[in-house]
Amino acid sequence: MSDVRPLKFVTLLGSLRKASLNAIVANSLPALAPAGVEISPLGSVADLPHYDADIQAEGFPEAVLAMGAAIAAADGVIIVTPEYNYSVPGALKNAIDWLSRLPDSPLSGKPLAIQTVSPGAIGGARAQYHLRQSLVFLNASVINKPEIMIGQAGSRIDAEAGTVSDESTRHHLTAQLEALATLARRAG
């Protein structure tokens, strides 16, 4: 019998597109997770209103509270996002802005992994670096390696089947999930 504590991770998807390659990667993670790790999606970033301090003053929207509670209850977070205009998609940044305003920031000290997916050659690297800047302010515990920047994603992901088809990419995703599990177990 194993004495390894089971872990629960959540995925925060930065894409809104129905046919998103990022969504395919996020949806593939549960099958790639190490034993004892359960991965489930958070609510959509599309469900959050644009951040507005006036809305916050009236009370946090239910979707923000639900996302914050799910993150707080999780052992780790995996952000899977595309790159827009050399940076983070606005909807994802908006979600991070809302989460940062919650009284007990759910991302503070939280083990976190970043995965970027792009049809371009460098796999969303610039978005990943911009995202890391925001996460430093929020005190998230972001793993540094292995980095996941899936470039030329169309040749690594079978969009029709909805799977990560490239074995090397699957291996790297699994390695990152193992590293996140190690960090989460140390933190917990």
Side-chain angles (χ1 to χ4, degrees):
M1 179 154 103
S2 174
D3 61 349
V4 176
R5 175 175 69 90
L7 298 172
K8 293 184 183 218
F9 296 160
V10 292
T11 54
L12 178 57
L13 180 61
S15 179
L16 301 176
R17 261 183 67 236
K18 289 180 184 172
S20 167
L21 296 174
N22 287 270
I24 292 170
V25 169
N27 292 335
S28 298
L29 296 178
L32 299 172
V37 175
E38 176 186 310
I39 301 175
S40 58
L42 289 169
S44 174
V45 294
D47 296 337
L48 308 181
H50 291 289
Y51 177 76
D52 180 337
D54 293 336
I55 294 173
Q56 179 184 337
E58 294 173 12
F60 284 94
E62 185 55 41
V64 173
L65 293 172
M67 186 176 284
I71 291 171
D75 296 298
V77 177
I78 306 154
I79 297 177
V80 185
T81 187
E83 177 178 290
Y84 289 172
N85 299 317
Y86 289 8
S87 192
V88 177
L92 176 59
K93 179 64 167 75
N94 182 60
I96 291 168
D97 289 344
W98 270 114
L99 292 167
S100 74
R101 289 351 188 248
L102 290 170
D104 293 315
S105 177
L107 291 171
S108 182
K110 187 67 63 174
L112 191 142
I114 302 171
Q115 300 174 358
T116 50
V117 183
S118 172
I122 62 172
R126 292 169 289 224
Q128 190 160 134
Y129 295 137
H130 281 183
L131 183 54
R132 285 175 179 272
Q133 291 173 343
S134 294
L135 294 170
V136 164
F137 176 77
L138 297 176
N139 196 38
S141 186
V142 181
I143 63 170
N144 293 317
K145 291 187 178 185
E147 291 180 310
I148 300 294
M149 298 173 197
I150 303 173
Q152 301 173 341
S155 66
R156 299 170 191 274
I157 296 170
D158 183 339
E160 200 168 297
T163 61
V164 178
S165 54
D166 179 67
E167 192 57 40
S168 175
T169 301
R170 293 171 61 81
H171 171 76
H172 281 89
L173 288 165
T174 297
Q176 189 193 51
L177 295 173
E178 289 170 351
L180 184 60
T182 297
L183 178 62
R185 286 193 172 100
R186 282 187 198 140

